[in-house]
Amino acid sequence: MFSERLKASRKEVGLTQVELAKTLKVSSGTVGMWETGKREPKFEVMGHLSKRLNKSVDYLLGLSENASPQAADKTHLKESSRLQARAEVIYSCDDYDLVLIKKT
């Protein structure tokens, strides 16, 4: 899924593999490997791909049909604000356990 969406998104913005590779500071062979599914980009590169191709990371990875990075970000912000308004969350960690205490 990623390889197909990457290739289609690259073509949609009118970039060649060489041009995309230069902006990401990787080789054109690396981009070619991504597009054929032989390799996957490092985590750090995904944000740069998202910005350069104007697609959400979730869309590129096949986790969402929503290609717009702005809409995805707004959804997360709304959800985060809603949760913060409902409760104050305190995390407490010891050597092995993570405890979640919710105050309403």
Side-chain angles (χ1 to χ4, degrees):
M1 173 84 53
F2 170 76
S3 57
E4 294 90 11
R5 288 189 173 184
L6 173 62
K7 186 174 185 175
S9 298
R10 175 184 57 79
K11 288 183 174 186
E12 188 178 304
V13 296
L15 292 173
T16 65
Q17 286 182 349
V18 173
E19 292 168 333
L20 181 59
K22 283 182 183 178
T23 64
L24 299 173
K25 297 180 178 145
V26 298
S27 71
S28 58
T30 297
V31 174
M33 293 268 220
W34 296 341
E35 289 187 358
T36 58
K38 293 180 182 174
R39 292 214 175 153
E40 294 179 352
K42 292 181 180 178
F43 177 77
E44 301 84 28
V45 175
M46 290 304 297
H48 297 294
L49 275 171
S50 172
K51 288 178 186 174
R52 186 65 182 101
L53 301 175
N54 197 32
K55 303 287 185 194
S56 70
V57 172
D58 285 352
Y59 174 80
L60 291 172
L61 293 174
L63 301 173
S64 171
E65 293 303 314
N66 183 0
S68 171
Q70 294 81 16
D73 291 343
K74 287 178 184 174
T75 301
H76 292 298
L77 288 174
K78 284 181 184 176
E79 182 66 15
S80 177
S81 296
R82 186 181 67 78
L83 290 174
Q84 287 177 356
R86 288 183 56 205
E88 176 185 349
V89 179
I90 301 169
Y91 291 95
S92 170
C93 291
D94 62 17
D95 290 344
Y96 299 101
D97 298 317
L98 173 66
V99 178
L100 173 65
I101 304 167
K102 181 177 175 182
K103 293 183 178 180
T104 54

